[in-house]
Amino acid sequence: MKIPLRFLRDENGLWRLLLVTAVIFAALSFLVPGRFLSVRNFASMSFQIPEIGLLSIAMMAAMISGGIDLSAVGIANLSGILASQFLLHYAPEGSGGTWAALVVAVSMGISLAVGAGCGLLNGLLVTRVGIPPILATLGTMQLFSGLAIVLTRGTALYGFPDAFLILGNGYLFSVPVPLVLFAAAVLLVGVLLRRTSFGFSLYLVGTNPTAARFAGLDNAAILVKTYMLSGVLCASAGLVMFARTNSAKADYGVSYTLQAILVAVLGGTNVAGGFGSMAGLVLAILSLQFLSSGFAMLRFSNFSKEFVWGALLLVVMALNVLGDRASRKTQGRKNGTAPQAGGETEERR
């Protein structure tokens, strides 16, 4: 009896999302038990989740601040292409030894630095120029993508050394390296958001910028740092993506932008800013990946997958609204007052 009550009073939606994820997992395990519950399927998902996962974390950070980062995929491609050009020039396919490892390390540093620079540009456009985040990052998305096309002339770069390919296809103690990188990002960003003064300040800026300013916070500096963090995460996603495919192209992962937004919103991130949790984001990624893998096994078309992803988002949001109403009614009875209409801001952190 306690579990349903907690389910209804779940203000953050985590229990409801956990229930939905478990239902999806159980349903697909029943429909295609031999293939869905296989080691091969879980290994395949372990290589697919990190790319969209890293981009989703970047999107969540921007949305917590009250903004959005539509240039995420553009940053991933541009930073990855610049790193790939350096890599192919100094350590082409077949290179090995200490020199190749050193070149790979420098190329990764170049990619992360470019990602931070792109994030810095986004942050300055939002805070110093005053352009709304959705318009600023829409413009830089075209800028970064166009620059990547100019650098590659629209062709793919390929033929990376084995030391680089480990990022996308290697194993560390029998665990896929991309999954290790994603888990490290989840842990580090989770601690940054929940255990540091920067994280608390970011939530406050997203919840109420005016209150944050009167509290003595430098809102502009916090937003710039947030977009730089988002840029570094996008660059990491680009490295993993290009290493997995052993090629780099300016139009890779175009559909990832909307998928990252979908994951962030499905995970409970408030589109108005001020709330978002790493646990919700991980559950959202798992539920969508389960659906994607299961539908491929059931031979559903990609159109069906997009339809069900949208339906899942609507179902979870509807459950959240119903749960919020139940919670307010319960709280109203305890206080002896009528429940308030709306009340979204009460749940924002």
Side-chain angles (χ1 to χ4, degrees):
M1 190 63 184
K2 293 181 179 178
I3 294 177
L5 287 176
R6 189 170 187 176
F7 171 76
L8 290 174
R9 297 169 184 171
D10 179 20
E11 294 182 352
N12 297 337
L14 289 179
W15 284 100
R16 286 187 286 271
L17 187 55
L18 178 61
L19 177 65
V20 170
T21 305
V23 168
I24 293 172
F25 183 84
L28 292 172
S29 300
F30 175 76
L31 291 173
V32 279
R35 287 179 290 171
F36 185 76
L37 295 177
S38 66
V39 174
R40 181 180 180 182
N41 181 43
F42 285 105
S44 175
M45 288 193 289
S46 298
F47 283 101
Q48 295 172 12
I49 287 175
E51 295 170 13
I52 186 64
L54 289 169
L55 290 172
S56 299
I57 297 174
M59 191 65 72
M60 184 187 75
M63 292 176 73
I64 289 174
S65 72
I68 195 169
D69 189 355
L70 297 181
S71 65
V73 174
I75 294 175
N77 286 332
L78 177 61
S79 59
I81 283 172
L82 288 171
S84 300
Q85 289 182 327
F86 178 84
L87 198 58
L88 292 175
H89 183 75
Y90 290 103
E93 188 176 16
S95 302
T98 306
W99 172 252
L102 179 62
V103 173
V104 169
V106 173
S107 67
M108 291 172 61
I110 291 174
S111 176
L112 298 179
V114 172
C118 293
L120 175 63
L121 176 60
N122 282 334
L124 292 177
L125 289 174
V126 171
T127 59
R128 302 303 179 188
V129 183
I131 303 175
I134 190 171
L135 297 180
T137 55
L138 179 64
T140 53
M141 176 186 71
Q142 297 294 339
L143 177 69
F144 300 150
S145 299
L147 186 55
I149 293 174
V150 170
L151 289 172
T152 61
R153 298 181 180 178
T155 60
L157 306 176
Y158 54 89
F160 302 128
D162 292 341
F164 179 72
L165 301 182
I166 292 175
L167 286 176
N169 300 287
Y171 286 87
L172 182 65
F173 302 113
S174 301
V175 179
V177 171
L179 189 62
V180 173
L181 295 175
F182 174 61
V186 168
L187 181 64
L188 291 175
V189 178
V191 170
L192 182 69
L193 292 177
R194 292 295 183 181
R195 293 289 185 269
T196 67
S197 59
F198 170 77
F200 293 131
S201 301
L202 176 59
Y203 280 109
L204 181 56
V205 169
T207 302
N208 192 328
T210 303
R213 193 176 301 111
F214 279 109
L217 297 180
D218 187 344
N219 292 7
I222 293 170
L223 289 176
V224 169
K225 291 177 183 176
T226 302
Y227 280 100
M228 291 180 70
L229 171 65
S230 176
V232 170
L233 290 166
C234 294
S236 303
L239 288 173
V240 172
M241 182 165 58
F242 292 165
R244 184 176 66 85
T245 59
N246 192 18
S247 63
K249 200 166 185 288
D251 60 354
Y252 276 176
V254 174
S255 63
Y256 280 173
T257 301
L258 291 179
Q259 290 183 26
I261 296 173
L262 172 64
V263 169
V265 174
L266 184 62
T269 304
N270 193 332
V271 295
F275 180 73
S277 72
M278 199 60 72
L281 183 132
V282 171
L283 287 174
I285 292 174
L286 289 176
S287 62
L288 293 178
Q289 185 60 51
F290 290 160
L291 282 175
S292 179
S293 298
F295 282 7
M297 294 173 185
L298 293 169
R299 300 185 183 280
F300 286 0
S301 70
N302 287 332
F303 300 108
S304 300
K305 184 179 73 175
E306 301 289 341
F307 170 78
V308 173
W309 280 11
L312 175 64
L313 177 62
L314 293 176
V315 167
V316 172
M317 287 194 298
L319 286 174
N320 288 340
V321 170
L322 294 175
D324 292 342
R325 288 178 181 173
S327 178
R328 288 198 301 272
K329 286 182 179 177
T330 303
Q331 190 64 38
R333 291 192 190 100
K334 287 182 178 179
N335 299 334
T337 58
Q340 299 176 356
E344 179 186 355
T345 55
E346 294 177 0
E347 281 77 32
R348 292 172 57 179
R349 298 288 186 271

